[in-house]
Amino acid sequence: MAGKTRKSSTDDPLAPVTLAVGQEDLLLDRAVRQVIDAARAADADTDVRELAPADLRPGTLAELTSPSLFAERKVVVVRDAQDLAADTVKDVKAYLGSPAEEITLVLVHAGGAKGKGLLDAARKAGAREVACPKMTKPADRQAFVRGEFRAAGRSATPEACQALVEILGSDLRELASACSQLTADVEGTIDEAVVARYYSGRAEASSFTIADRAVEGRLPEALEALRWSLSTGVAPVLVTSALAQGVRGIGKLMSAPRGMRPGDLARELGMPPWKIDRVRQQMRGWSAAGVSAALRAVAEADAAVKGGGDDPEYALEKAVITIARAARSR
């Protein structure tokens, strides 16, 4: 049987109400799991009820949260709370004003306009909130990967984190699983070579591999990597992003003041030292005119893959050909 004390901090997983908001499924599931784990740590016999909107009818919440003869702890998880019927929303709002002892209510809400009244009511009532936004940017997913390794007490290089994101894509579950696997199997620092060894087949399909081969003027290999990448489901927009980064990196380094120390140059250009070394090797055949032509080609491809063209694959191939030729423009 659990005690009656309950922390008032909004950081407490056992706060009366937790609001998990967003559309990133893994983060939403982790927010729910944190509450359940905390409740079972306080009382191993905690009763957990997970409900979909269809499971909640007027009066259901009151029944689930009514005082128990044995004062058992309970966690009630309401999934897709934005889809609750109007009568049920009234019940939830009423409950928020006077939550029951030993009950932890978790509302999983997608955010946005739908069901915003419930979202606002929970916030006004002081619910503990966990943000679970969709990670649409590669930089956010790289930060997620770094966090996974850090939470496991392990060190991973920036190149390794970037490689994992580029190889595995946007699925956080897959990224988390990869981090767990590498942590279990590899001793010491996890670097790009380790990632390449584990995911050699998929690494060939990464958008940064396409960009590297293109800016190095290796056209047949760049096109092969592009076609394989698209056939395995890599989003075209990730390819244009990688191509843009590759060409811009060459342009930045080409226009940088000569004679700067590596550390100062890295700060000036906003690149890690390892990347400057790589770009310096890639820029040997480039001219300023070649950079301009390549950037125009990337911009046209980007517009095409975002709906401005009829054939995104053709637009990407055209950009890769232009970039590879520009790499030999000097």
Side-chain angles (χ1 to χ4, degrees):
M1 184 184 300
K4 292 286 185 181
T5 59
R6 174 178 283 183
K7 296 178 184 177
S8 59
S9 168
T10 55
D11 291 330
D12 178 18
L14 295 182
V17 180
T18 285
L19 192 57
V21 185
Q23 298 179 37
E24 194 63 73
D25 289 341
L26 175 66
L27 301 184
L28 291 169
D29 288 346
R30 284 184 174 181
V32 172
R33 175 50 55 187
Q34 183 188 31
V35 173
I36 293 172
D37 288 348
R40 286 182 169 157
D43 181 352
D45 295 326
T46 294
D47 181 23
V48 177
R49 304 290 182 92
E50 294 210 30
L51 306 167
D55 300 323
L56 282 165
R57 295 177 295 279
T60 302
L61 184 63
E63 180 181 341
L64 289 171
T65 57
S66 60
S68 167
L69 177 64
F70 302 102
E72 67 179 357
R73 182 179 290 277
K74 187 180 296 184
V75 175
V76 177
V77 180
V78 178
R79 298 276 183 176
D80 299 318
Q82 73 279 356
D83 295 329
L84 289 172
D87 288 343
T88 304
V89 169
K90 289 180 183 178
D91 284 354
V92 177
K93 286 182 177 179
Y95 177 82
L96 293 173
S98 183
E101 285 288 344
E102 302 299 335
I103 305 291
T104 300
L105 175 65
V106 183
L107 298 174
V108 181
H109 195 293
K114 189 175 184 181
K116 190 173 184 297
L118 178 57
L119 200 59
D120 292 341
R123 287 168 172 161
K124 186 175 180 180
R128 167 182 176 263
E129 185 167 344
V130 181
C132 306
K134 197 75 176 174
M135 293 191 181
T136 57
K137 297 179 180 179
D140 292 337
R141 294 192 286 274
Q142 289 173 32
F144 170 80
V145 168
R146 288 195 298 272
E148 291 293 290
F149 285 125
R150 194 161 46 241
R154 297 299 301 277
S155 175
T157 66
E159 304 97 304
C161 296
Q162 176 178 301
L164 270 178
V165 170
E166 285 306 312
I167 292 166
L168 299 180
S170 60
D171 189 329
L172 288 200
R173 292 187 192 279
E174 193 168 5
L175 287 170
S177 176
C179 293
S180 178
Q181 188 68 48
L182 288 168
T183 297
D185 292 352
V186 177
E187 295 183 1
T189 300
I190 296 163
D191 59 19
E192 189 177 18
V194 169
V195 174
R197 187 166 66 247
Y198 264 71
Y199 300 99
S200 57
R202 297 180 67 170
E204 294 302 320
S206 77
S207 53
F208 278 100
T209 296
I210 300 165
D212 285 341
R213 300 299 172 266
V215 299
E216 290 161 5
R218 296 158 63 179
L219 180 56
E221 294 167 72
L223 289 175
E224 182 181 359
L226 172 64
R227 289 160 187 160
W228 178 253
S229 176
L230 296 176
S231 73
T232 57
V234 174
V237 70
L238 290 179
V239 179
T240 55
S241 176
L243 291 172
Q245 288 186 50
V247 176
R248 287 189 193 122
I250 287 169
K252 283 182 179 180
L253 192 55
M254 188 178 292
S255 60
R258 296 184 179 277
M260 293 184 70
R261 292 181 300 179
D264 294 336
L265 185 60
R267 285 188 291 273
E268 176 75 18
L269 301 183
M271 296 181 190
W274 64 265
K275 189 168 185 180
I276 288 178
D277 291 339
R278 178 180 292 177
V279 174
R280 184 175 281 118
Q281 293 174 359
Q282 293 172 334
M283 65 179 282
R284 290 172 182 164
W286 283 83
S287 66
V291 171
S292 296
L295 286 175
R296 286 195 299 271
V298 173
E300 291 172 3
D302 190 55
V305 303
K306 290 178 179 176
D310 297 328
D311 191 343
E313 186 171 341
Y314 171 75
L316 288 172
E317 287 196 3
K318 184 179 177 182
V320 166
I321 291 169
T322 301
I323 293 169
R325 288 175 177 169
R328 299 174 183 148
S329 58
R330 181 178 292 177

